[in-house]
Amino acid sequence: MSPFNRLAIPPLPERVVVYDSTLRDGEQMPGVRFSLEQKVAIARKLDEVGVHQIEAGFPAVSGSERDSVRAIAGLGLDAEVLCLARTLEQDIDAAVDCDVDMVLLFIATSDLHLRYKLKMSRDQVFERAVKATEYAADHGLRVSMSTEDTTRSNLQFVKDIYLACHDAGAERVGVTDTLGCASPEAISYVVGEIRSALDVPLSAHLHNDFGLATVNSIAALSAGADAIATTVGGIGERAGNVPLEQLVMVLKNLYGKDIGISTEGLTELGKLVFEAAGVSLPPNQPWIGPNAFSHESGIHVAAVLNCPMTYECVSPESVGNRRRLVLGKHSGTSIVRSRLSEREVGATQDQICEIVREIKRRGEQHGRVSDDEFWTIVDAVLSGSAGMQNCGEG
Ligand code: MN
């Protein structure tokens, strides 16, 4: 009995590289600022779980940003350390100064961005992209060249830039869905077109505005991309990015592809990042949220106590999370029996029913029933002070 449905598995590249941008795009989440210590702690934890590349920051932003990128590059991590730079000499100089393994150069290519942001022609953008690549390569940096807003750009223009930048020394080129406004089919088309035009490592940086970031990352991989940008919990600009833990779990469990990132540390990593960000982890965040393995319904709890796979397709331990059996208006007798037997407390069927009725009554009034409340109810019922009534629940 398999816990998954693996009836259709898309073609995937031999090696999938995750370049995590929690420290760069993640920190661009409105209101978020990580301290140097927090950045170092997050980088170490990302490295510990096995993320291949860490985008440590955007050195041109400020002196302290430069300090933190330099500090992370100097930690001696197994992960390669990357930083972001515009196609400007001053930005590339800052990247050189930080001693990173690779610089992520980016320049916008959509007509919208050319006209209203860069105020440049396509020829000017092309020339600047190539010159910056040459400049970075001449200064000893490995280069990845990303075109911002790729999914709203002229595809031939994008391909021309990639080909020229690859010739100029870029070892990787990058597609971005900066606005998160492409469907999985559109991502598949764009990536496939680029893949057939050039045989170069290809990355995808995808946003979640339509809630499609994870799906689009799979579309990109199956169309020929081999590197995906993620952030922990999907934090980032607007609706955020591809959540690291979702990408890893989909690949590992639904497609049977282990990309070398250990899943057991994911919940701890999530807690670390959300705490540092000063943002509460959404309860229903897949895999790492507190509700990811919580059960209240009496039907579910009874089944989970019998065989967890009935309502959990992976174990909470496999992502470092834990199961929570919650007491509330949906509770049944199974959870009560289970809690009582954990403490070896005996009770008759009538007493158990009375306890369930009281849990339901309180749950109706104020949602969850706490552990303390539960044992108060148990004491009252077992001492007879609650007054016995017929049980409405079997
Ligand atoms: Mn972004």
Side-chain angles (χ1 to χ4, degrees):
M1 288 184 280
S2 167
F4 310 110
N5 182 327
R6 286 187 183 166
L7 290 178
I9 294 183
L12 293 168
E14 182 76 19
R15 178 161 187 262
V16 174
V17 172
V18 168
Y19 70 109
D20 187 87
S21 188
T22 301
L23 298 176
R24 202 277 298 165
D25 204 311
E27 203 198 27
Q28 284 173 229
M29 180 173 180
V32 171
R33 180 199 167 269
F34 298 130
S35 69
L36 174 62
E37 293 70 28
Q38 287 170 332
K39 286 195 173 193
V40 167
I42 292 167
R44 285 192 191 282
K45 191 72 192 166
L46 287 167
D47 187 52
E48 197 183 303
V49 302
V51 163
H52 313 105
Q53 298 181 336
I54 296 170
E55 186 181 350
F58 190 177
V61 165
S62 70
S64 68
E65 179 80 359
R66 194 184 293 207
D67 291 343
S68 60
V69 173
R70 194 188 293 116
I72 291 164
L75 290 175
L77 304 176
D78 289 333
E80 292 179 325
V81 176
L82 282 46
C83 76
L84 191 68
R86 291 168 297 182
T87 51
L88 300 172
E89 290 191 3
Q90 77 226 42
D91 280 33
I92 298 165
D93 290 341
V96 172
D97 184 46
C98 290
D99 203 21
V100 290
D101 293 302
M102 188 194 266
V103 65
L104 301 173
L105 294 178
F106 76 97
I107 189 160
T109 46
S110 67
D111 289 337
L112 264 168
H113 280 228
L114 264 57
R115 183 162 173 190
Y116 294 104
K117 187 178 80 174
L118 296 177
K119 305 191 192 324
M120 289 167 75
S121 68
R122 285 190 188 174
D123 285 347
Q124 287 171 318
V125 165
F126 180 89
E127 192 183 335
R128 187 188 279 182
V130 175
K131 274 196 170 156
T133 304
E134 285 169 348
Y135 184 84
D138 284 348
H139 286 74
L141 284 169
R142 289 162 54 202
V143 177
S144 175
M145 169 56 75
S146 288
T147 50
E148 190 187 6
D149 207 14
T150 315
T151 49
R152 296 193 301 178
S153 301
N154 178 284
L155 204 44
Q156 188 57 52
F157 178 46
V158 169
K159 286 186 209 172
D160 290 345
I161 289 185
Y162 290 160
L163 282 166
C165 288
H166 178 54
D167 285 344
E171 69 172 51
R172 183 163 89 193
V173 295
V175 169
T176 65
D177 187 23
T178 305
L179 273 288
C181 59
S183 66
E185 293 75 17
I187 293 292
S188 183
Y189 176 75
V190 169
V191 171
E193 279 285 306
I194 290 159
R195 172 48 73 228
S196 57
L198 73 168
D199 187 20
V200 180
L202 179 59
S203 67
H205 175 97
L206 309 159
H207 275 272
N208 200 37
D209 298 70
F210 280 93
L212 292 172
T214 305
V215 179
N216 284 350
S217 70
I218 300 301
L221 288 172
S222 61
D226 30 40
I228 300 290
T230 62
T231 61
V232 174
I235 64 170
E237 296 268 10
R238 305 184 314 281
N241 298 72
V242 178
L244 169 67
E245 61 284 351
Q246 288 183 28
L247 177 67
V248 172
M249 290 298 281
V250 169
L251 290 174
K252 182 174 178 180
N253 297 292
L254 302 187
Y255 300 147
K257 184 159 190 73
D258 189 335
I259 59 169
I261 293 179
S262 84
T263 57
E264 287 80 3
L266 290 173
T267 300
E268 199 187 323
L269 176 62
K271 279 185 188 157
L272 176 69
V273 168
F274 278 78
E275 251 178 62
V279 177
S280 58
L281 189 54
N284 61 335
Q285 186 80 25
W287 309 124
I288 62 174
N291 281 2
F293 299 91
S294 291
H295 312 280
E296 182 183 312
S297 145
I299 296 164
H300 290 216
V301 169
V304 164
L305 288 171
N306 230 352
C307 170
M309 232 199 275
T310 51
Y311 286 97
E312 294 171 356
C313 62
V314 303
S315 73
E317 295 78 26
S318 67
V319 289
N321 205 336
R322 65 185 180 89
R323 179 177 307 131
R324 293 167 176 83
L325 300 180
V326 179
L327 295 158
K329 66 176 264 197
H330 305 101
S331 289
T333 53
S334 295
I335 189 170
V336 173
R337 286 183 202 284
S338 160
R339 293 264 166 115
L340 293 179
S341 75
E342 276 168 22
R343 291 202 188 175
E344 297 179 347
V345 175
T348 65
Q349 173 68 15
D350 281 349
Q351 286 171 326
I352 287 171
C353 288
E354 179 63 18
I355 293 166
V356 170
R357 273 172 25 84
E358 184 58 15
I359 290 169
K360 285 177 175 292
R361 195 184 66 78
R362 294 194 190 202
E364 284 279 8
Q365 282 174 355
H366 50 260
R368 279 193 182 187
V369 175
S370 72
D371 259 22
D372 285 350
E373 243 182 308
F374 171 74
W375 289 108
T376 305
I377 295 167
V378 170
D379 285 346
V381 171
L382 296 190
S383 69
S385 60
M388 290 307 239
Q389 291 179 36
N390 285 338
C391 182
E393 201 266 353

